[in-house]
C-alpha cells in the first residue's frame, strides 16, 4: 500500500519537469522536422525564464510575464532565422552563440527582479496545467505533423528542401513559422518552470541543462510528438527519483556523485541504445537537418 | 508591385574583403554590447567606460593573460574539430578533467609538474576520444554527448572538493605546493607554442588535408583514402589534449587549488573557446588572436562585476560579437539589392 502511494506520488511529481522538457522538446521537434536544428534552445529557455521572471515580478501578472518570455524567445528565434535562413551562416555557430547570448542576457534580465518571489501556481494547479499543456500540445502536434497537409509540407521540407521548394513550398515562410511556434512552446516551458517548479522565484542557472536535455528528447522520441512526450515523461520520472536518491544513499558514498549527473548519464546511455535500435530498424532523422 | 530586399551572391572576384567586414561586424557588436549594458546596474556609460579602459590602455592587456591561456588552449583544439565537422562542446569538461587529474598527481601524489601536465592532457584525450567513440560507433550526437559529459565532470569535481579532497571543511582543496606551480607567462608561452605546433601539423602534415576533406565531404575523403573514423578520432583527441593541458596549466598557473563549480557557470573558458574558435573562422593560429580579444572582453566584464553586473554579461557580449562578426563576414559574399516583384 505504502509502495503504491509512493509510486503515485512519484508519477505526479514527474509531471512538471516532464512538461517543461516536453514542451521545449516539442518546439525543437517542429524546427527539426522542417530541416533545421536549433542548438540555441538552451539559450532560448534561459532568456525566456529571465524575462518572464523580471516582468512577472514587476507587474504581478503571470500572463504578462509569459508574454515577456515569449518576446525574448521570439527575439532569439528571429536572430536564428535571419542569420541562418537569410544570410546562410552555419546553424551550429549561430545555435551555440545563441546559447551563450540567451543564458547571458537571461541572467541580466532575471537579476532585474532583485531575487523577489513573483506570482506562482499552487502545486496541484501547476501539475494539472503541466499535464494539460503536455498532453494537448503532443496531440495537437501529432495531428498537425502526421495528419494535416501543412504538417506534410513541414516534413517534406525536412526530408528534401530542394524537392519541397520545387513543389512550391515557401521554405523561408515555413521555417519562420516553425521557429515562431518553437518560441511559443519554449516560453510556455520557461513560464511553467518559473510559476510551477520554482514558485515564481528566479535563480541564476536554475534552468540549466533543460534545453540540452530537450534536444536529447527529440532524438530519443524519434522525431515524433508521441515519442518525444514519452521520453520527456520518463526523464521527468528520473528527476523525481533523483530528488529521493540522497535520502536513500549512505552519506559520503562515492556514488553520490551520480545523483547530480544521473539525468545526463541516463540520456547519453539512452541515446546510444536508441541509435542502435534506430540503425537496426532502418530509422533515421529528417534528412536535411545538418545541411546548413 | 512590391519591393523586396534580396541578397544576391557576388562572383568570387567581386567579394568584399572578409577582414574589413569582420572588423565592421566587431565594431557593431561592441556598440550593441554597450547598449545591452543599459540593462545592467553599470548602465551604458559604465559599460562603455569599462571597455574603453581595457582596450584603450595597453598596460592592461597583459592582465588578460590568465584568461587567454585557458581560452586559447580550448579554442585551438575546437577549431581543428570543427574543421572536421565534429561539433563538440566538450572542451569545458576536458579542461576541468585536466585540472582534477593534475591536482591529484601534483597535490596528492606528489608527482612532478611535467607528469601532472602530461596527465592533464591525457585526461582530455580520453574524454575527447570517448565522445568521438560515441559518435563513430554508436551514432550518438557529439554536441549533446560532450555537453552532458561536461556536467558529469563538474559533478565529479564537486564531489571531490566537497568530500575526500576538501580542505578545512570548505568546498575547495588545499593549495598546491609552491614548487608545483608555474608563472602565468610561462603557462601562456606553453599554450602559444602548443597551438603553433598544432597549426604546423595542420599545415604541413597529412592531418590538415584529412581534417578538411572529412569536414567538407566524408564520401569524397573516403574515396581518396582518408579514413573518416581515424580523422575524427585524431581531431577529437588533439582537441581533448589541448583542452586538458589548458586545464592543467590554468590550475598550476592561476587557480593553484580546486574549488567547487556550479553546472551553469562552470569554469567557463571551455565554452568561451567555442566562441573564440568560430570567431577565428576555425583557423587554428587565428584562435590566438580571438582568444586574446575574448580574454580582454572577459577582463572588462570582471571589472564591471564591482558594479554588480553579473558575470554572465561577458558571455552575452562575446556571443553578440561572434554573431555580428560571423554574419558580417558571410555578408561580404553578397550584394544587397532591392527587387520589384509583381503580385
Amino acid at each position: 500500500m505504502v509502495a503504491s502511494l509512493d509510486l503515485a506520488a512519484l508519477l505526479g511529481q514527474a509531471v512538471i519537469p516532464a512538461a517543461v522538457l516536453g514542451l521545449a522538446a516539442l518546439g525543437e521537434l517542429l524546427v527539426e522536422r522542417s530541416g533545421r536544428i536549433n542548438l540555441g534552445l538552451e539559450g532560448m529557455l534561459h532568456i525566456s525564464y529571465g524575462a518572464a521572471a523580471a516582468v512577472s515580478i514587476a507587474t504581478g501578472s503571470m500572463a504578462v510575464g509569459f508574454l515577456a518570455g515569449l518576446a525574448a524567445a521570439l527575439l532569439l528565434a528571429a536572430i536564428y532565422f535571419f542569420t541562418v535562413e537569410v544570410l546562410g551562416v552555419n546553424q551550429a555557430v549561430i545555435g551555440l552563440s545563441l546559447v551563450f547570448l540567451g543564458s547571458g542576457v537571461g541572467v541580466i534580465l532575471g537579476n532585474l527582479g532583485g531575487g523577489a518571489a513573483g506570482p506562482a501556481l499552487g502545486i496541484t494547479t501547476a501539475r494539472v496545467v503541466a499535464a494539460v499543456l503536455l498532453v494537448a500540445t503532443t496531440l495537437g502536434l501529432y495531428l498537425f505533423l502526421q495528419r494535416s497537409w501543412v504538417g506534410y509540407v513541414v516534413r517534406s521540407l525536412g526530408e528534401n528542401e530542394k524537392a519541397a521548394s520545387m513543389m512550391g513550398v515557401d521554405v523561408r515562410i515555413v521555417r519562420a513559422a516553425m521557429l515562431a511556434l518553437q518560441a511559443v512552446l519554449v516560453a510556455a516551458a520557461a513560464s511553467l518552470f518559473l510559476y510551477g517548479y520554482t514558485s515564481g522565484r528566479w535563480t541564476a542557472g536554475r534552468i540549466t541543462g533543460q534545453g540540452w536535455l530537450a534536444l536529447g528528447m527529440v532524438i530519443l522520441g524519434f522525431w515524433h510528438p508521441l515519442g518525444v512526450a514519452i521520453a520527456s515523461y520518463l526523464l521527468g520520472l528520473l528527476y523525481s527519483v533523483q530528488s529521493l536518491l540522497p535520502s536513500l544513499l549512505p552519506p559520503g558514498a562515492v556514488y553520490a556523485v551520480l545523483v547530480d549527473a544521473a539525468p545526463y548519464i541516463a540520456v547519453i546511455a539512452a541515446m546510444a541504445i536508441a541509435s542502435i535500435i534506430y540503425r537496426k530498424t532502418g530509422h533515421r532523422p529528417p534528412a536535411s537537418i545538418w545541411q546548413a | 508591385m512590391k519591393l523586396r530586399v534580396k541578397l544576391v551572391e557576388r562572383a568570387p572576384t567581386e567579394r568584399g574583403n572578409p577582414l574589413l567586414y569582420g572588423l565592421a561586424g566587431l565594431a557593431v557588436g561592441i556598440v550593441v554590447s554597450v547598449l545591452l549594458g543599459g540593462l545592467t546596474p553599470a548602465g551604458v556609460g559604465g559599460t562603455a567606460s569599462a571597455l574603453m579602459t581595457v582596450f584603450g590602455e595597453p598596460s592592461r592587456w597583459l592582465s588578460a593573460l590568465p584568461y587567454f591561456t585557458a581560452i586559447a588552449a580550448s579554442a585551438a583544439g575546437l577549431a581543428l574539430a570543427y574543421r572536421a565537422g565534429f561539433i563538440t562542446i566538450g572542451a569545458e569538461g576536458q579542461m576541468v578533467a585536466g585540472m582534477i587529474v593534475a591536482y591529484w598527481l601534483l597535490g596528492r601524489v606528489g608527482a612532478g609538474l611535467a607528469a601532472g601536465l602530461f596527465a592533464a592532457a591525457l585526461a582530455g584525450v580520453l574524454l575527447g576520444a570517448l565522445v568521438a567513440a560515441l559518435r563513430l560507433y554508436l551514432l550518438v550526437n557529439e554536441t549533446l554527448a560532450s555537453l552532458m559529459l561536461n556536467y558529469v565532470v563538474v559533478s565529479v569535481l564537486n564531489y571531490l572538493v566537497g568530500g575526500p579532497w576538501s580542505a578545512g571543511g570548505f568546498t575547495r582543496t588545499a593549495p598546491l605546493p609552491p614548487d608545483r606551480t608555474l608563472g602565468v607567462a610561462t603557462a601562456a608561452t606553453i599554450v602559444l607554442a602548443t597551438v603553433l605546433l598544432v597549426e604546423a601539423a595542420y599545415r604541413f602534415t597529412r592531418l590538415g588535408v584529412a581534417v578538411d576533406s572529412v569536414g567538407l565531404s566524408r564520401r569524397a575523403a573516403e574515396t581518396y583514402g582518408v579514413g573518416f573514423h581515424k580523422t575524427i578520432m585524431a581531431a577529437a583527441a588533439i582537441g581533448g589534449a589541448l583542452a586538458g593541458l589548458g586545464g592543467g596549466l590554468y590550475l598550476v598557473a592561476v587557480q593553484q587549488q580546486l574549488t567547487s563549480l556550479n553546472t551553469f557557470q562552470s569554469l567557463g573558458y571551455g565554452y568561451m573557446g567555442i566562441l573564440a574558435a568560430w570567431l577565428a573562422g576555425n583557423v587554428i593560429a587565428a584562435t590566438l588572436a580571438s582568444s586574446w580579444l575574448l580574454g580582454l572582453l572577459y577582463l572588462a566584464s570582471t571589472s564591471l562585476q564591482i558594479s554588480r553586473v553579473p558575470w554572465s554579461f561577458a558571455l552575452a557580449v562575446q556571443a553578440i560579437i561572434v554573431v555580428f562578426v560571423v554574419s558580417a563576414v558571410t555578408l561580404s559574399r553578397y550584394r544587397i539589392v532591392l527587387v520589384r516583384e509583381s503580385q
Side-chain angles (χ1 to χ4, degrees), chain A residues 46 83 86-87 89 93 97 100-101 103-104 107-108 111-112 205 208 212-213 215-216 219 253-254 257 260 264-265 267 271-272 275-276 279 290, chain B residues 7 39 89 137-141 144-145 147-148 151-152 155-156 159 264 271 274-275 278 310 312-313 315-316 319-320 322-323 326-327 330-331 334:
Chain A
H46 273 280
T83 49
V86 178
L87 292 182
V89 180
V93 184
S97 299
F100 302 120
L101 179 60
S103 45
V107 173
I108 294 169
N111 269 339
L112 295 176
T208 297
W212 294 111
L213 290 171
L215 279 160
I219 298 171
V254 173
V257 68
D260 281 345
Y264 307 111
I265 296 171
V267 170
M271 283 199 301
S275 295
I276 295 168
R279 218 177 340 172
W290 280 107
Chain B
L7 292 173
L39 286 175
I89 47 178
Y137 302 108
L138 294 173
L139 300 182
V140 177
N141 180 289
L144 292 179
L147 187 278
M148 286 174 195
Y151 292 149
V152 174
S155 301
V156 172
Y159 165 71
F264 176 42
Y271 294 129
I274 299 168
L275 296 173
W278 291 120
S312 67
F313 182 65
L315 267 189
I320 287 169
V322 171
V323 169
V326 172
S327 301
T330 309
L331 205 56
Y334 298 96

Coordinates of all heavy atoms in Angstrom, one line a residue, chain A residues 46 83 86-87 89 93 97 100-101 103-104 107-108 111-112 205 208 212-213 215-216 219 253-254 257 260 264-265 267 271-272 275-276 279 290, chain B residues 7 39 89 137-141 144-145 147-148 151-152 155-156 159 264 271 274-275 278 310 312-313 315-316 319-320 322-323 326-327 330-331 334:
Chain A
H46 N 16.7 30.0 -21.2 CA 17.3 30.9 -20.2 C 16.8 32.3 -20.3 O 16.4 32.9 -19.4 CB 18.8 31.0 -20.4 CG 19.6 29.9 -19.7 ND1 19.8 30.0 -18.3 CD2 20.1 28.7 -20.1 CE1 20.5 28.9 -17.9 NE2 20.7 28.1 -19.0
T83 N 20.0 35.1 -39.5 CA 21.4 34.7 -39.8 C 21.5 33.4 -40.6 O 22.3 33.2 -41.5 CB 22.2 34.6 -38.5 OG1 21.5 33.8 -37.6 CG2 22.5 35.9 -37.9
V86 N 18.4 33.6 -43.9 CA 18.6 34.7 -44.8 C 20.1 34.9 -45.3 O 20.4 34.9 -46.4 CB 18.1 36.1 -44.3 CG1 18.3 37.2 -45.2 CG2 16.6 35.9 -43.9
L87 N 21.0 34.9 -44.2 CA 22.4 35.1 -44.6 C 23.1 33.8 -44.9 O 24.2 33.8 -45.6 CB 23.1 35.8 -43.4 CG 22.8 37.2 -43.1 CD1 23.6 37.7 -42.0 CD2 23.0 38.1 -44.3
V89 N 24.4 31.6 -42.6 CA 25.5 31.4 -41.7 C 25.3 29.9 -41.1 O 24.1 29.5 -41.0 CB 25.5 32.4 -40.5 CG1 26.6 32.1 -39.5 CG2 25.7 33.8 -41.0
V93 N 27.1 27.4 -35.5 CA 27.7 28.6 -35.0 C 26.7 29.5 -34.3 O 26.8 29.9 -33.2 CB 28.4 29.4 -36.1 CG1 29.1 30.6 -35.6 CG2 29.3 28.6 -37.0
S97 N 26.1 30.2 -30.4 CA 26.2 31.6 -29.9 C 24.9 32.0 -29.2 O 25.0 32.7 -28.2 CB 26.4 32.5 -31.1 OG 27.6 32.2 -31.8
F100 N 24.9 31.1 -25.5 CA 25.6 32.0 -24.6 C 24.9 33.3 -24.5 O 24.8 33.9 -23.5 CB 27.1 32.2 -25.1 CG 27.8 30.9 -25.2 CD1 28.3 30.4 -26.4 CD2 27.9 30.1 -24.1 CE1 29.0 29.2 -26.5 CE2 28.6 28.9 -24.2 CZ 29.1 28.4 -25.4
L101 N 24.4 33.8 -25.7 CA 23.7 35.1 -25.6 C 22.4 34.9 -24.7 O 22.2 35.8 -23.9 CB 23.2 35.4 -27.1 CG 22.4 36.7 -27.2 CD1 23.2 37.9 -26.7 CD2 22.1 37.0 -28.7
S103 N 21.7 32.7 -22.4 CA 22.0 32.5 -20.9 C 22.6 33.7 -20.3 O 22.3 34.1 -19.2 CB 22.9 31.2 -20.7 OG 23.9 31.2 -21.6
G104 N 23.4 34.5 -21.1 CA 24.0 35.7 -20.5 C 22.9 36.8 -20.3 O 22.8 37.3 -19.2
V107 N 20.4 36.0 -17.4 CA 20.8 36.3 -16.1 C 20.7 37.8 -15.8 O 20.2 38.2 -14.7 CB 22.3 35.8 -15.8 CG1 22.8 36.3 -14.5 CG2 22.4 34.3 -15.9
I108 N 21.0 38.6 -16.8 CA 20.9 40.0 -16.6 C 19.4 40.4 -16.4 O 19.0 41.1 -15.4 CB 21.4 40.8 -17.9 CG1 22.9 40.6 -18.0 CG2 21.0 42.3 -17.8 CD1 23.5 41.0 -19.3
N111 N 18.1 39.1 -13.0 CA 18.6 39.9 -11.9 C 17.8 41.2 -11.6 O 17.8 41.7 -10.5 CB 20.1 40.3 -12.1 CG 21.0 39.3 -11.5 OD1 20.7 38.5 -10.6 ND2 22.2 39.3 -12.1
L112 N 17.1 41.6 -12.7 CA 16.3 42.8 -12.6 C 15.2 42.6 -11.5 O 14.6 43.6 -10.9 CB 15.6 43.2 -13.9 CG 16.6 43.6 -15.0 CD1 15.9 43.9 -16.3 CD2 17.4 44.9 -14.6
G205 N 20.8 30.2 -13.3 CA 21.3 28.9 -13.7 C 20.4 27.8 -13.3 O 20.7 26.6 -13.5
T208 N 19.4 25.5 -16.1 CA 20.5 25.0 -16.9 C 20.3 23.5 -17.2 O 19.9 22.7 -16.4 CB 21.8 25.1 -16.0 OG1 22.0 26.5 -15.8 CG2 23.0 24.6 -16.8
W212 N 19.4 21.4 -23.4 CA 20.2 20.3 -23.9 C 19.5 19.0 -23.8 O 19.5 18.2 -24.7 CB 21.6 20.3 -23.3 CG 22.4 21.5 -23.5 CD1 22.7 22.5 -22.6 CD2 23.0 21.9 -24.8 NE1 23.5 23.4 -23.2 CE2 23.6 23.1 -24.6 CE3 22.9 21.4 -26.1 CZ2 24.3 23.8 -25.6 CZ3 23.6 22.0 -27.1 CH2 24.3 23.2 -26.8
L213 N 18.9 18.8 -22.6 CA 18.2 17.5 -22.4 C 17.0 17.5 -23.4 O 16.7 16.4 -23.9 CB 17.7 17.4 -21.0 CG 18.8 17.2 -19.9 CD1 18.2 17.4 -18.5 CD2 19.4 15.9 -20.1
L215 N 16.9 18.7 -26.4 CA 17.4 18.3 -27.7 C 17.6 16.7 -27.7 O 17.3 16.1 -28.7 CB 18.7 19.0 -27.9 CG 18.7 20.4 -28.4 CD1 20.0 21.1 -28.2 CD2 18.4 20.4 -29.9
G216 N 18.0 16.2 -26.6 CA 18.2 14.7 -26.5 C 16.8 14.0 -26.6 O 16.7 13.0 -27.2
I219 N 15.7 13.3 -30.1 CA 16.3 12.1 -30.7 C 15.7 10.9 -30.1 O 15.3 9.9 -30.8 CB 17.8 12.1 -30.4 CG1 18.5 13.4 -31.1 CG2 18.5 10.9 -30.9 CD1 19.9 13.6 -30.7
A253 N 28.8 8.5 0.3 CA 29.1 7.4 -0.7 C 29.7 8.0 -1.9 O 29.4 9.0 -2.4 CB 27.7 6.8 -1.0
V254 N 30.6 7.2 -2.5 CA 31.3 7.6 -3.7 C 30.3 7.8 -4.8 O 30.4 8.8 -5.6 CB 32.3 6.6 -4.1 CG1 33.0 6.9 -5.5 CG2 33.4 6.4 -3.1
V257 N 28.0 11.1 -6.2 CA 28.3 12.0 -7.3 C 27.3 11.8 -8.5 O 27.0 12.6 -9.3 CB 29.8 11.8 -7.8 CG1 30.0 10.4 -8.4 CG2 30.2 12.9 -8.8
D260 N 23.7 14.1 -9.1 CA 23.7 15.3 -9.9 C 23.8 14.9 -11.4 O 23.1 15.5 -12.2 CB 24.8 16.2 -9.5 CG 24.5 17.0 -8.3 OD1 23.3 17.0 -7.9 OD2 25.5 17.6 -7.7
Y264 N 22.1 13.2 -17.0 CA 22.9 13.4 -18.2 C 23.5 12.0 -18.6 O 23.6 11.7 -19.8 CB 24.0 14.4 -17.9 CG 23.5 15.7 -17.4 CD1 23.6 16.1 -16.1 CD2 22.7 16.5 -18.2 CE1 23.1 17.3 -15.6 CE2 22.2 17.7 -17.8 CZ 22.3 18.1 -16.5 OH 21.8 19.2 -16.0
I265 N 23.9 11.2 -17.6 CA 24.4 9.9 -17.9 C 23.3 9.1 -18.5 O 23.5 8.3 -19.5 CB 24.9 9.2 -16.6 CG1 26.2 10.0 -16.1 CG2 25.3 7.8 -16.9 CD1 26.6 9.5 -14.7
V267 N 20.7 10.1 -20.3 CA 20.4 10.5 -21.6 C 21.5 10.0 -22.6 O 21.2 9.5 -23.7 CB 20.2 12.0 -21.7 CG1 20.1 12.5 -23.2 CG2 18.9 12.4 -21.0
M271 N 20.6 7.5 -25.5 CA 20.8 7.9 -27.0 C 21.6 6.8 -27.7 O 21.4 6.6 -28.8 CB 21.5 9.3 -27.0 CG 20.6 10.4 -26.8 SD 21.2 12.0 -27.4 CE 22.7 12.2 -26.5
A272 N 22.6 6.3 -26.9 CA 23.4 5.2 -27.5 C 22.5 4.0 -27.9 O 22.6 3.4 -29.0 CB 24.5 4.8 -26.6
S275 N 20.2 4.8 -30.7 CA 20.9 4.8 -32.0 C 21.0 3.4 -32.6 O 20.8 3.2 -33.8 CB 22.2 5.4 -31.9 OG 22.1 6.8 -31.5
I276 N 21.3 2.5 -31.7 CA 21.5 1.1 -32.2 C 20.1 0.6 -32.7 O 20.0 0.0 -33.7 CB 22.0 0.2 -31.0 CG1 23.4 0.6 -30.6 CG2 22.0 -1.3 -31.4 CD1 23.9 0.0 -29.3
R279 N 19.2 2.1 -35.9 CA 20.0 1.6 -37.0 C 19.5 0.2 -37.5 O 19.4 -0.1 -38.6 CB 21.5 1.5 -36.6 CG 22.4 1.8 -37.7 CD 23.9 1.8 -37.4 NE 24.3 1.9 -36.0 CZ 25.5 1.7 -35.6 NH1 26.4 1.5 -36.4 NH2 25.8 1.8 -34.3
W290 N 21.2 18.5 -40.8 CA 22.5 19.1 -40.7 C 23.1 19.7 -42.0 O 24.3 19.8 -42.1 CB 23.5 18.0 -40.2 CG 23.4 17.8 -38.7 CD1 22.8 16.7 -38.1 CD2 23.8 18.6 -37.6 NE1 22.8 16.8 -36.7 CE2 23.4 18.0 -36.4 CE3 24.4 19.8 -37.6 CZ2 23.7 18.5 -35.2 CZ3 24.7 20.4 -36.3 CH2 24.3 19.7 -35.2
Chain B
L7 N 19.3 39.3 -51.2 CA 20.8 39.2 -51.1 C 21.2 38.4 -52.3 O 20.7 37.2 -52.6 CB 21.2 38.4 -49.9 CG 21.0 39.1 -48.5 CD1 21.3 38.2 -47.4 CD2 21.9 40.4 -48.4
L39 N 21.0 47.5 -19.5 CA 20.1 46.7 -18.7 C 20.7 46.3 -17.4 O 20.1 45.7 -16.5 CB 19.7 45.4 -19.5 CG 18.7 45.5 -20.6 CD1 18.6 44.1 -21.3 CD2 17.4 45.9 -20.1
I89 N 31.3 20.3 -27.9 CA 31.4 21.4 -27.0 C 32.0 20.9 -25.7 O 31.6 21.5 -24.6 CB 30.1 22.2 -26.8 CG1 28.9 21.2 -26.6 CG2 29.7 23.0 -28.0 CD1 27.6 21.9 -26.3
Y137 N 30.8 5.0 -33.3 CA 30.4 3.6 -33.2 C 29.0 3.5 -32.7 O 28.3 2.5 -33.0 CB 31.4 2.9 -32.3 CG 32.8 2.9 -32.8 CD1 33.7 3.7 -32.1 CD2 33.1 2.3 -33.9 CE1 35.0 3.8 -32.6 CE2 34.4 2.4 -34.5 CZ 35.4 3.1 -33.8 OH 36.6 3.2 -34.3
L138 N 28.4 4.5 -32.0 CA 27.0 4.4 -31.5 C 26.1 5.5 -32.1 O 25.0 5.5 -31.8 CB 27.0 4.4 -30.0 CG 27.7 3.2 -29.3 CD1 27.7 3.4 -27.8 CD2 27.0 1.9 -29.6
L139 N 26.7 6.3 -33.0 CA 26.0 7.4 -33.6 C 25.3 8.3 -32.7 O 24.2 8.9 -32.9 CB 24.9 6.8 -34.6 CG 25.5 5.9 -35.7 CD1 24.4 5.5 -36.6 CD2 26.5 6.7 -36.6
V140 N 25.9 8.5 -31.5 CA 25.3 9.5 -30.5 C 25.8 10.9 -30.9 O 27.0 11.1 -31.2 CB 25.8 9.2 -29.1 CG1 25.3 10.2 -28.1 CG2 25.4 7.8 -28.7
N141 N 24.9 11.8 -31.0 CA 25.2 13.2 -31.4 C 26.3 13.8 -30.5 O 26.2 13.8 -29.3 CB 24.0 14.1 -31.3 CG 24.2 15.5 -31.7 OD1 24.9 16.2 -31.0 ND2 23.7 15.9 -32.8
L144 N 25.6 16.9 -28.1 CA 24.8 16.6 -26.8 C 25.7 15.8 -25.9 O 25.8 16.1 -24.7 CB 23.5 15.9 -27.1 CG 22.5 16.7 -27.9 CD1 21.3 15.8 -28.1 CD2 22.1 17.9 -27.0
A145 N 26.3 14.8 -26.4 CA 27.1 13.9 -25.6 C 28.2 14.6 -24.9 O 28.5 14.5 -23.6 CB 27.7 12.7 -26.4
L147 N 28.4 17.9 -24.2 CA 27.8 18.8 -23.2 C 27.5 18.1 -21.9 O 27.8 18.5 -20.8 CB 26.6 19.5 -23.8 CG 26.0 20.6 -23.1 CD1 25.0 20.2 -22.1 CD2 26.9 21.6 -22.5
M148 N 26.8 16.9 -22.1 CA 26.4 16.2 -20.9 C 27.6 15.6 -20.1 O 27.6 15.6 -18.9 CB 25.4 15.1 -21.3 CG 24.1 15.7 -21.7 SD 22.9 14.7 -22.3 CE 21.8 15.9 -23.0
Y151 N 28.8 18.3 -17.7 CA 28.1 18.3 -16.5 C 28.5 17.2 -15.5 O 28.6 17.3 -14.3 CB 26.6 18.2 -16.7 CG 26.0 19.4 -17.4 CD1 24.9 19.3 -18.3 CD2 26.5 20.7 -17.2 CE1 24.3 20.4 -18.9 CE2 25.9 21.8 -17.9 CZ 24.8 21.6 -18.7 OH 24.3 22.7 -19.3
V152 N 28.8 16.0 -16.1 CA 29.2 14.9 -15.3 C 30.6 15.2 -14.7 O 30.7 14.9 -13.5 CB 29.3 13.6 -16.2 CG1 29.9 12.4 -15.4 CG2 27.9 13.2 -16.7
S155 N 30.2 17.5 -11.9 CA 29.7 16.8 -10.7 C 30.8 16.0 -9.9 O 30.8 16.0 -8.7 CB 28.6 15.8 -11.1 OG 27.6 16.4 -11.7
V156 N 31.7 15.4 -10.7 CA 32.8 14.7 -10.1 C 33.7 15.6 -9.3 O 34.1 15.4 -8.2 CB 33.6 13.9 -11.2 CG1 34.9 13.3 -10.6 CG2 32.8 12.8 -11.9
Y159 N 32.0 16.7 -6.1 CA 32.1 15.6 -5.1 C 33.5 15.6 -4.5 O 33.6 15.5 -3.2 CB 31.8 14.3 -5.8 CG 32.2 13.1 -5.0 CD1 31.5 12.8 -3.8 CD2 33.3 12.3 -5.3 CE1 31.8 11.7 -3.0 CE2 33.7 11.3 -4.4 CZ 32.9 11.0 -3.3 OH 33.3 10.0 -2.5
F264 N 26.0 25.6 -14.2 CA 25.7 26.7 -15.1 C 26.9 27.5 -15.5 O 27.3 27.6 -16.7 CB 24.7 27.6 -14.4 CG 24.3 28.8 -15.3 CD1 24.1 28.7 -16.6 CD2 24.1 30.1 -14.7 CE1 23.7 29.8 -17.4 CE2 23.8 31.2 -15.4 CZ 23.6 31.0 -16.8
Y271 N 33.8 27.0 -22.8 CA 32.7 27.5 -23.5 C 33.1 28.7 -24.3 O 32.7 28.9 -25.5 CB 31.5 27.8 -22.6 CG 30.9 26.6 -22.0 CD1 30.7 26.6 -20.6 CD2 30.5 25.5 -22.7 CE1 30.1 25.5 -20.0 CE2 30.0 24.4 -22.1 CZ 29.8 24.4 -20.7 OH 29.3 23.3 -20.1
I274 N 34.7 27.9 -27.6 CA 33.9 27.6 -28.7 C 33.7 28.9 -29.5 O 33.8 29.0 -30.8 CB 32.5 27.1 -28.2 CG1 32.6 25.8 -27.5 CG2 31.5 27.0 -29.4 CD1 31.4 25.4 -26.7
L275 N 33.4 30.0 -28.8 CA 33.1 31.3 -29.5 C 34.4 31.8 -30.1 O 34.4 32.3 -31.2 CB 32.6 32.3 -28.4 CG 31.3 32.0 -27.8 CD1 30.9 33.0 -26.7 CD2 30.2 32.0 -28.9
W278 N 35.0 29.9 -33.4 CA 34.1 30.4 -34.5 C 34.6 31.8 -35.0 O 34.6 32.1 -36.1 CB 32.7 30.4 -34.1 CG 32.1 29.0 -34.0 CD1 31.5 28.5 -32.8 CD2 31.9 28.0 -34.9 NE1 31.1 27.2 -33.0 CE2 31.3 26.9 -34.3 CE3 32.3 27.9 -36.3 CZ2 31.0 25.7 -35.0 CZ3 32.0 26.7 -36.9 CH2 31.4 25.6 -36.3
P310 N 26.3 41.1 -13.5 CA 26.5 39.6 -13.4 C 27.6 39.2 -14.4 O 27.8 39.8 -15.4 CB 25.2 39.0 -13.8 CG 24.4 40.1 -14.5 CD 24.9 41.4 -14.0
S312 N 27.7 36.8 -16.2 CA 27.2 36.3 -17.5 C 27.2 37.4 -18.6 O 27.0 37.1 -19.8 CB 25.8 35.8 -17.3 OG 24.9 36.9 -17.0
F313 N 27.3 38.6 -18.2 CA 27.4 39.7 -19.2 C 28.5 39.5 -20.2 O 28.3 39.7 -21.4 CB 27.5 41.1 -18.4 CG 27.5 42.3 -19.4 CD1 26.4 42.6 -20.1 CD2 28.7 43.0 -19.5 CE1 26.4 43.7 -20.9 CE2 28.7 44.1 -20.4 CZ 27.6 44.4 -21.1
L315 N 29.6 36.6 -21.2 CA 29.2 35.6 -22.2 C 28.3 36.2 -23.2 O 28.4 35.9 -24.4 CB 28.4 34.5 -21.5 CG 29.1 33.3 -21.0 CD1 28.1 32.2 -20.5 CD2 29.9 32.7 -22.1
A316 N 27.3 37.1 -22.8 CA 26.4 37.7 -23.7 C 27.2 38.5 -24.7 O 26.9 38.5 -25.9 CB 25.4 38.5 -23.0
A319 N 29.1 36.5 -27.2 CA 28.1 35.8 -28.2 C 27.7 36.9 -29.2 O 27.6 36.6 -30.4 CB 27.0 35.2 -27.5
I320 N 27.4 38.1 -28.7 CA 26.9 39.1 -29.7 C 28.0 39.4 -30.7 O 27.7 39.5 -31.9 CB 26.6 40.4 -28.9 CG1 25.3 40.2 -28.1 CG2 26.5 41.6 -29.8 CD1 25.0 41.3 -27.1
V322 N 30.4 37.5 -31.7 CA 30.5 36.3 -32.7 C 29.4 36.4 -33.7 O 29.7 36.3 -34.9 CB 30.5 35.0 -31.9 CG1 30.4 33.8 -32.9 CG2 31.8 34.8 -31.1
V323 N 28.2 36.6 -33.3 CA 27.1 36.7 -34.2 C 27.3 37.8 -35.2 O 27.2 37.6 -36.5 CB 25.7 36.9 -33.5 CG1 24.6 37.2 -34.5 CG2 25.4 35.7 -32.7
V326 N 30.6 37.0 -37.5 CA 30.3 35.9 -38.5 C 29.3 36.3 -39.5 O 29.5 36.0 -40.7 CB 29.9 34.6 -37.7 CG1 29.4 33.5 -38.6 CG2 31.0 34.1 -36.8
S327 N 28.3 37.0 -39.1 CA 27.3 37.5 -40.1 C 27.9 38.4 -41.1 O 27.6 38.4 -42.3 CB 26.1 38.1 -39.3 OG 25.5 37.2 -38.5
T330 N 30.0 36.7 -43.6 CA 29.1 36.0 -44.5 C 28.6 37.0 -45.5 O 28.5 36.8 -46.7 CB 28.0 35.3 -43.8 OG1 28.6 34.5 -42.8 CG2 27.2 34.4 -44.8
L331 N 28.2 38.2 -45.0 CA 27.6 39.2 -45.8 C 28.6 39.7 -46.9 O 28.2 40.2 -48.0 CB 27.2 40.4 -44.9 CG 26.1 41.3 -45.4 CD1 24.8 40.5 -45.7 CD2 25.8 42.4 -44.4
Y334 N 27.8 38.7 -50.4 CA 26.6 39.1 -51.0 C 26.5 40.6 -51.4 O 27.2 41.4 -50.8 CB 25.4 38.8 -50.1 CG 25.2 37.3 -49.8 CD1 25.8 36.8 -48.6 CD2 24.5 36.5 -50.6 CE1 25.6 35.4 -48.3 CE2 24.4 35.1 -50.4 CZ 25.0 34.6 -49.2 OH 24.8 33.3 -48.9

